[in-house]
Amino acid sequence: MPTDPSDPEGAIAAAAKRCSNWGRWGGDDVLGTLNFLDEAKRREGAALVRRGASFSLAQRFDANGPQKGERRRTNPLHMMLATGLEAERGTQGFPHGIGGADDTVSMPLQASTQWDGLGHIFDHGIAYNGRRAGDVVTSEGDQVTGIETTAGLIAGRGVLLDVGRVLGDDGELPDGFAITADHLEATITAHGETARVGHGDLLLVRTGRLTRARREGWGDYAGGDSPGLSFTTADWLHRTEIAGIATDTWGFEVRPNEFDNAFQPLHQVVIPHMGLFLGEMWDLDALAADCARDGVYEFWLTAEPLPVTGAVGAPVAPVAVK
Amino acid sequence: MPTDPSDPEGAIAAAAKRCSNWGRWGGDDVLGTLNFLDEAKRREGAALVRRGASFSLAQRFDANGPQKGERRRTNPLHMMLATGLEAERGTQGFPHGIGGADDTVSMPLQASTQWDGLGHIFDHGIAYNGRRAGDVVTSEGDQVTGIETTAGLIAGRGVLLDVGRVLGDDGELPDGFAITADHLEATITAHGETARVGHGDLLLVRTGRLTRARREGWGDYAGGDSPGLSFTTADWLHRTEIAGIATDTWGFEVRPNEFDNAFQPLHQVVIPHMGLFLGEMWDLDALAADCARDGVYEFWLTAEPLPVTGAVGAPVAPVAVK
Amino acid sequence: MPTDPSDPEGAIAAAAKRCSNWGRWGGDDVLGTLNFLDEAKRREGAALVRRGASFSLAQRFDANGPQKGERRRTNPLHMMLATGLEAERGTQGFPHGIGGADDTVSMPLQASTQWDGLGHIFDHGIAYNGRRAGDVVTSEGDQVTGIETTAGLIAGRGVLLDVGRVLGDDGELPDGFAITADHLEATITAHGETARVGHGDLLLVRTGRLTRARREGWGDYAGGDSPGLSFTTADWLHRTEIAGIATDTWGFEVRPNEFDNAFQPLHQVVIPHMGLFLGEMWDLDALAADCARDGVYEFWLTAEPLPVTGAVGAPVAPVAVK
Amino acid sequence: MPTDPSDPEGAIAAAAKRCSNWGRWGGDDVLGTLNFLDEAKRREGAALVRRGASFSLAQRFDANGPQKGERRRTNPLHMMLATGLEAERGTQGFPHGIGGADDTVSMPLQASTQWDGLGHIFDHGIAYNGRRAGDVVTSEGDQVTGIETTAGLIAGRGVLLDVGRVLGDDGELPDGFAITADHLEATITAHGETARVGHGDLLLVRTGRLTRARREGWGDYAGGDSPGLSFTTADWLHRTEIAGIATDTWGFEVRPNEFDNAFQPLHQVVIPHMGLFLGEMWDLDALAADCARDGVYEFWLTAEPLPVTGAVGAPVAPVAVK
C-alpha cells in the first residue's frame, strides 16, 4: 500500500526519482530495460530447453476477445477477401484448378496479448529518457521508440512466478489483490531455485485473472477490477534489473489502483522513467500447469512483437520452451 | 523445368499423387508437416544457441511495404488513437499527469513477413487432407485449419540455404531463376555440414530478391517476376520431411512460373497435398551475412504466427538465435 | 399475426408467391421497387418544398452507436491520420504555414442509418429476381445488385407515418408491437390527406424505438426486441407499390418475430421476392416533430446511399425538405 | 497569376485578410459559408426541378479508385462478412431458409467524392474562426467543426460552370490550367442566365480532369498535376457569397500551384479564413452532358455528407435533380 493514498502524484514523482533509468544507456537510448538482455542471457535461456516442450502464451486474436470498445479499443476483426466457397465453385479466375483464400485483420495493437512500447505512457508530457511526448509520438506513430526498434531482441531466460497458485485460492487471486515485493519473494521461495529473478530476465507473473475470465466470461477483464502488481513494487522491479515483465491481466497493475483517484500510476513510473517493457493479457495457464507439474519455473522465452513501424504497443505470440 | 510446360494441370496432379500426405497423420489432422517438428527436434535446435546472437527475420510492417493493392492486398495501415501531443497538452482527461498513446493496425494477413496457413490454397476445390474447400474456409474464416491451430509449435532447428550467395552474382539470383533440387543440394554442399536439411527442420532459402528490392525499390516485388523454387522441387520438399520452408520472396516459387499458363503451381501441390507450411517475404539478409561470416548455417528458430482465429495466413516476427 | 406461428417457412413461401416481382421489370432487373420511382414522382416530390426547411434523417456515425459486435457488426471507428496538434506544432513539413488534418473510417456498412441492398437477404439460396445467391454475392461483393446500381435514383416524394405518435403512449410503441396494415391505414387516416401512400413513394415509419434508445441507452436496440412491421404487411407493401420503406428501428420488422422460431421472415419476402428497398436506423424524430406541428406528412426526400461498389447495404445520410 | 510567385506566405496573408469571415456569424460559428444557404434558397432550388431527371455526382467507392497511398490515403476497401455462397450452401445457421450477406468498408474519408470539413486545413496553426488547430482537431477528431455539424444543411440551388467545355479542347482543360475569375465569368456568360452564381449557391466547376482520368487511367489524378481554381479566385469566391464549391479534380486548386514553392495555398485562405466548403472528386460528367443538351445550368442539389462524428472531411453521394 502506498504511504499516502491521497497523493498519487507525489508518490509517482518520488518513485520515478528513485527508479529512473534516464541516461543510463545514453541520451539516445530507445531500448530501456531490454539493454539488460544480452547474449549471455540468451545462452543461459537456451540452455533451459531440456524436454523440448513448447507453450504458446498468446490468447487467440478474434472478435470474441475481452475488449469492449472503450477509448475505441475494439476486438480484432478478421475478414476474408476470398474463401474456399469461391474456390470450390471455380469462379476465382485462376488456371489449372488452383484456388485460394485470403484474409485481413483490423485491430487495436493492444487488443490482445501484447507488449507496451516505451511510447505508450508519459509522465506529465515526458516520455522515456526525458523526451517530449509530442516529439516522440505523433499521428504518424512513435518516431523514436517505435516497437520495431526492439526487433530481434526479446528472446532470453523466462521465469514464471505463479502468484495465483502460491497465494490464491484455487490458483486465483481476487480482484483488487495488490501483489507486493514480499508476495513476489514469497512466490520465488515457494517455487525454489529455478524461480530466482534477476538481471536480464523476462518475468511472467500469473494472477489467475485470465483463468477466471475464461470460466466466467470476459466481464470487466478489460479495464475493470483485477489483481496485479502493487504500486510499491516499482523499486523491486528496478532493483532486479529484469528486461521485461508480463502478466495474465489486462493492465499489469492492481485495479482499482491503490490511490484515492488514480489511473495506472505504476505504468507512469516504469514506462517513461525505467523504460521497462510490460506485457499484458498473456495466457500463462498452460505453462503454469506444466511448471506446477515439474517444479521448473524457468525456460527459454521468445516474445518478438510484430514490428509495426512506429507502434506504441504490439501484438505478440510468445513461446516458452522447456 | 517441368517435362511438359503446356500441361500444368497434369504435372500438378502427378506431383500431388507422389507427394500427398493425406491421411498420413489421420483424417482429422490439421497440422500437416508441422507433425515432423517434435520435442527432440526442439532440443536439437536449442542446442544450436552458442553465442546468443539473435536475428529478426521480419520486415517492418508499414505503409511503405511491397503491396500494390492487387486483389485488395494493401500494405499495413498503422493509425493512432491517441498521441504524445495530446498528452503533452494535458487534454486527455487522466489524473496525476499520466498520458498515453494508443494505436491500431489494419492489414491483409499476408501483407508482409508471413506464414501461409493450410487453408490458403486449394486444388480443384479440395483443401488439405481431402476436405472440401467450402467446408474449410468460409466468410467466417478457416473453420478447420486456422492458423491458431499451430499455436506453440513453430520453434525448432532452422537451416539457411543461401542459394543467392552460392549461385548468384553478388549474392542475388535473377528474376525467373528456378531453384531446383540440384541447386539446393549444391548449396548444402557449399555450406557444409551445418546446412544439412532433414526431418522436422525449418528451412530458409535466401534468393537475394529482397536485397535487390531494398536497393532498387519495391517495383514488382509483390506478384511480379522473381527467383524462387522450381515446380520440380516438390519431391525434394516431400522427401526431406521438412516442417516448413520460407523464402525472402513474395511468392516462394519462381516467377514467371515454369508453365505456359500457370499461377503458383507448386503451391497447389505443397499446401493442399503435402500440408507444407510456406513462409514468404522473410528478411534473411542479416542472418545470411552472419552465416557467411561464421560458416554456421543452422540455428534455433522461433516463428510463431500471430494466432488470428481462422486465419489462412498470418504475420510472423521470426527470430533466429545462434 | 400470421395464421400459423409454427410454420414460418410455409407463410414465407405463400407470401413470396403472392408478392413476387420477379420478372416484372425483366430478367436483368437490378432495381426492384425503385422502378416505381420515376421522373413524375420526382416532380411531385420537389413540389412539396414549401418552406425550405430541411431535416437530416441520419444518426451520427461513431463509436457510440448501437452495435454490439454481434456477427462482427461493430460501430463505426473514426481514426485520424493527422491532427491540428501537429499543424500547430509546425511539424507537418508543409510550406507557408499550411497545416492539415486527415481521417479514416472503418465500419460495417449496416452499422448505422442505412439502406439494405437487394443482395442483403436470400430465400433458400435465391436472390432477387431468381438468381442464385452465390452468383450474386461473393467475397468480392455483390456482382449484380450492388448498391452502386441505385446511383442517382433515390430522390422523390417521402411520406411519414408516425405510428408511434398515433398509436403509442407518449409517442412510442412498445417492443414486440407488430404494426399491421390496419395500423398503417389508421395512421394515414389520422394524419390526413398529405399522408396518403402509393406508387413510387418513399415511406418512413416511425415507431419511437430510437427515441426510447436515446433516452434510456442503446441496450438491445441492435438486434433485440422492438416494435416494427408485422409479417402480415407483406401484401400491403406489395399492393401500395412503394419504392422503399425506412424505419427508426434496427431491423424494420417487429421483434421478437411473430413465429415460434424465426429470424426476420418479412425480410425474406420483401427483399428477394419483391425487390423492396428497406431503410433501417433512420432518425425520424426531428422530422416527425415538425410534421406533428404543421400537419403535413409529405416532403421531398433524398436518400442516396454511399455508392460502395458491390455493397449489399450502404450508409446513407437522408435529407427531407418541406 | 499571383503578383509575386516567390511569396506564397505573403499572398496568403493578404488574401486571408481581404476574405476573412471570422466573426461574421459570431465567435461560436461552425458553419462558415453554409450560413449563406437558407430556406429561401432551398425553395428557389426546389423550384428548379422541372423534368424530375436526377444525376448522381459521386464516383464509385472501391479499390479501383484514384488513391495511391500517399500520406496513407488509400482507396476504399470493401470486405464481406457473409456472402451468398454460404447462404446457398445453407451453413449460416438461420431458420426457415433465410440467408444473408453483410459487408464492411474501410477508407480514408477523403478517398473519393467528398466534402472538406472546416477542420481539414489550418493557417499557421489556426483553424476557422480563429481557433487554435489543436483545440479543434485532436486524435479523437474534430471537436468543434466536425462534419456532423452540417447535418441537414447542404441542399439548395446548384449551378454548374462547365469551364472545361467552354474553354477547353474537347471539353477538357489541360493540367496546370489556372481557372481565374475571368474564366468563371466568361463561362457564366457562355452558359447564360441559368448559370448566374450568387449568395447561397452551391457551385460546381467542371474541368474535364476526371473525364481524362477515366479515359487514360488514374495516373496522378490524386495529388498530381491538374487544372483547377487559381489562387487569385479567392476574392471572387468571397464576393459571390456562395455556400460551397465542388470540382471534378482531386484538389480543387490548379496543380502545380501558382507559386514557386507551395502546397494548396488557396485552401489555406478559403477554409480557415472564409469557412468555405470545398467538394473534391465529384463526378460532374453526366450532369454536364445534360446541361449542354438543354442549356439549363441550375438545378436542385442535395449533397449531404456522411455524418461521421468529428470528421474533417466526409464522403458524399451528391444528387442533382433538374
Side-chain angles (χ1 to χ4, degrees), chain C residues 57-59 112-116 159-164 173 177 179 184 202-211 221 226-230 233 236-237 242 244-255 264 266-267 276-285 301 316 318:
Chain C
L57 310 184
Q59 294 189 33
S112 185
T113 306
Q114 131 250 337
W115 280 117
D116 285 356
V159 183
L160 174 72
L161 297 188
D162 192 346
V163 186
L173 302 177
F177 187 104
I179 300 171
L184 294 170
L202 296 163
L203 175 59
L204 311 183
V205 176
R206 182 180 169 280
T207 68
R209 183 66 181 84
L210 177 60
T211 321
Y221 178 83
S226 178
L229 275 283
S230 169
T233 59
W236 189 92
L237 295 169
I242 55 174
I245 179 171
T247 67
D248 57 349
T249 68
W250 170 80
F252 166 66
E253 312 187 34
V254 62
R255 305 263 302 164
Q264 303 296 72
L266 184 55
H267 275 69
L276 179 63
F277 280 77
L278 303 186
E280 291 163 338
M281 294 187 271
W282 291 34
D283 181 355
L284 305 175
D285 283 358
L301 177 65
V316 59

Side-chain angles (χ1 to χ4, degrees), chain B residues 252-295:
Chain B
F252 166 66
E253 312 187 33
V254 62
R255 306 261 305 162
N257 300 123
E258 304 151 284
F259 293 91
D260 299 343
N261 177 26
F263 184 71
Q264 303 296 73
L266 184 54
H267 275 69
Q268 194 173 341
V269 174
V270 300
I271 293 182
H273 293 283
M274 286 179 52
L276 179 62
F277 280 78
L278 304 186
E280 290 163 339
M281 295 187 271
W282 291 34
D283 181 356
L284 306 175
D285 283 358
L287 174 65
D290 186 84
C291 293
R293 219 156 19 231
D294 74 358

Side-chain angles (χ1 to χ4, degrees), chain B residues 96 103 130-131 213 218 225 276:
Chain B
H96 53 72
D103 46 6
R131 302 178 180 102
W218 287 119
D225 290 354
L276 179 62

Side-chain angles (χ1 to χ4, degrees), chain D residues 16-133:
Chain D
K17 194 170 174 192
R18 293 193 308 270
C19 301
S20 173
N21 285 327
W22 290 6
R24 184 170 183 161
W25 299 285
D28 290 341
D29 181 61
V30 297
L31 295 177
T33 56
L34 290 183
N35 284 289
F36 293 132
L37 207 178
D38 56 15
E39 299 200 345
K41 182 54 68 172
R42 278 195 206 99
R43 290 195 300 270
E44 181 187 343
L48 301 173
V49 176
R50 289 158 189 139
R51 291 152 42 204
S54 63
F55 303 87
S56 165
L57 309 183
Q59 294 188 33
R60 288 187 177 191
F61 285 67
D62 60 40
N64 299 316
Q67 303 298 333
K68 297 184 297 184
E70 270 175 52
R71 290 182 289 141
R72 291 180 287 171
R73 283 223 193 137
T74 56
N75 286 306
L77 197 58
H78 176 227
M79 291 181 285
M80 304 304 296
L81 295 174
T83 74
L85 290 151
E86 285 98 13
E88 225 183 276
R89 192 127 163 177
T91 56
Q92 294 188 314
F94 296 121
H96 53 73
I98 195 173
D102 215 1
D103 46 6
T104 71
V105 75
S106 292
M107 62 178 182
L109 287 166
Q110 305 196 12
S112 187
T113 305
Q114 131 248 337
W115 280 116
D116 285 355
L118 296 189
H120 177 45
I121 296 291
F122 314 106
D123 180 7
H124 291 86
I126 304 296
Y128 172 67
N129 230 356
R131 302 178 180 101
R132 289 179 66 186

Side-chain angles (χ1 to χ4, degrees), chain C residues 43 50 54 62 73 84 88 96-97 99 101-103 105 107 109 120 122 124 132 134 137 152 268 300 309 312, chain D residues 43 50 54 62 73 84 88 96-97 99 101-103 105 107 109 120 122 124 132 134 137 152 268 300 309 312:
Chain C
R43 290 193 300 272
R50 288 158 189 138
S54 63
D62 60 39
R73 284 220 192 140
E88 225 186 275
H96 53 71
D102 217 0
D103 46 5
V105 76
M107 62 179 182
L109 288 165
H120 177 46
F122 315 107
H124 291 86
R132 288 179 67 187
V137 186
Q268 193 173 340
W300 172 236
T309 308
V312 298
Chain D
R43 290 195 300 270
R50 289 158 189 139
S54 63
D62 60 40
R73 283 223 193 137
E88 225 183 276
H96 53 73
D102 215 1
D103 46 6
V105 75
M107 62 178 182
L109 287 166
H120 177 45
F122 314 106
H124 291 86
R132 289 179 66 186
V137 186
Q268 194 173 340
W300 170 244
T309 308
V312 298

Side-chain angles (χ1 to χ4, degrees), chain B residues 25-285:
Chain B
W25 300 285
D28 290 340
D29 181 61
V30 297
L31 295 176
T33 56
L34 290 184
N35 284 289
F36 293 133
L37 207 179
D38 56 15
E39 299 200 344
K41 181 54 67 171
R42 278 195 206 99
R43 289 194 301 271
E44 181 187 344
L48 301 173
V49 176
R50 288 157 188 139
R51 290 152 43 205
S54 63
F55 303 87
S56 164
L57 309 184
Q59 294 188 32
R60 287 187 177 191
F61 284 67
D62 60 40
N64 299 316
Q67 303 298 333
K68 297 184 297 185
E70 270 175 52
R71 290 183 288 140
R72 290 180 287 170
R73 283 219 193 142
T74 56
N75 287 306
L77 198 57
H78 176 228
M79 291 181 285
M80 303 304 297
L81 295 173
T83 74
L85 289 151
E86 284 99 14
E88 225 185 274
R89 192 128 164 176
T91 56
Q92 294 188 315
F94 296 122
H96 53 72
I98 194 173
D102 215 3
D103 46 6
T104 71
V105 77
S106 292
M107 62 178 183
L109 288 165
Q110 306 197 12
S112 185
T113 306
Q114 132 249 337
W115 280 117
D116 285 355
L118 296 189
H120 177 46
I121 296 291
F122 315 106
D123 180 7
H124 291 85
I126 304 295
Y128 172 66
N129 230 356
R131 302 178 180 102
R132 289 179 65 186
D135 287 348
V136 176
V137 186
T138 72
S139 292
E140 304 203 30
D142 186 328
Q143 315 288 314
V144 181
T145 44
I147 205 73
E148 77 280 6
T149 58
T150 71
L153 295 179
I154 311 184
R157 177 180 180 259
V159 184
L160 175 73
L161 297 188
D162 192 346
V163 186
R165 203 166 300 235
V166 171
L167 299 177
D169 293 331
D170 293 325
E172 299 173 18
L173 301 177
D175 290 340
F177 187 103
I179 300 171
T180 63
D182 285 349
H183 293 137
L184 293 170
E185 294 289 349
T187 303
I188 294 171
T189 302
H191 287 343
E193 171 62 14
T194 61
R196 73 192 150 69
V197 173
H199 182 94
D201 287 331
L202 296 162
L203 175 60
L204 311 183
V205 176
R206 182 183 169 278
T207 69
R209 183 67 182 82
L210 178 60
T211 321
R212 184 154 67 251
R214 229 179 231 130
R215 189 177 60 243
E216 300 180 354
W218 287 119
D220 287 329
Y221 178 83
D225 290 354
S226 177
L229 276 282
S230 169
F231 178 80
T232 61
T233 58
D235 298 271
W236 188 92
L237 295 169
H238 186 243
R239 190 173 59 243
T240 48
E241 299 189 344
I242 54 174
I245 179 171
T247 69
D248 58 348
T249 67
W250 170 80
F252 166 66
E253 312 187 33
V254 62
R255 306 261 305 162
N257 300 123
E258 304 151 284
F259 293 91
D260 299 343
N261 177 26
F263 184 71
Q264 303 296 73
L266 184 54
H267 275 69
Q268 194 173 341
V269 174
V270 300
I271 293 182
H273 293 283
M274 286 179 52
L276 179 62
F277 280 78
L278 304 186
E280 290 163 339
M281 295 187 271
W282 291 34
D283 181 356
L284 306 175
D285 283 358

Side-chain angles (χ1 to χ4, degrees), chain A residues 53-61 113 214 282-288 301-302 316-321, chain B residues 148 150-154 304-305 307:
Chain A
S54 63
F55 303 87
S56 164
L57 309 185
Q59 294 188 32
R60 288 187 177 192
F61 285 67
T113 306
R214 225 177 236 135
W282 291 34
D283 181 355
L284 305 175
D285 282 358
L287 174 65
L301 177 65
T302 310
V316 59
V319 182
V321 189
Chain B
E148 77 280 6
T150 71
L153 295 179
I154 311 184
E304 183 80 355

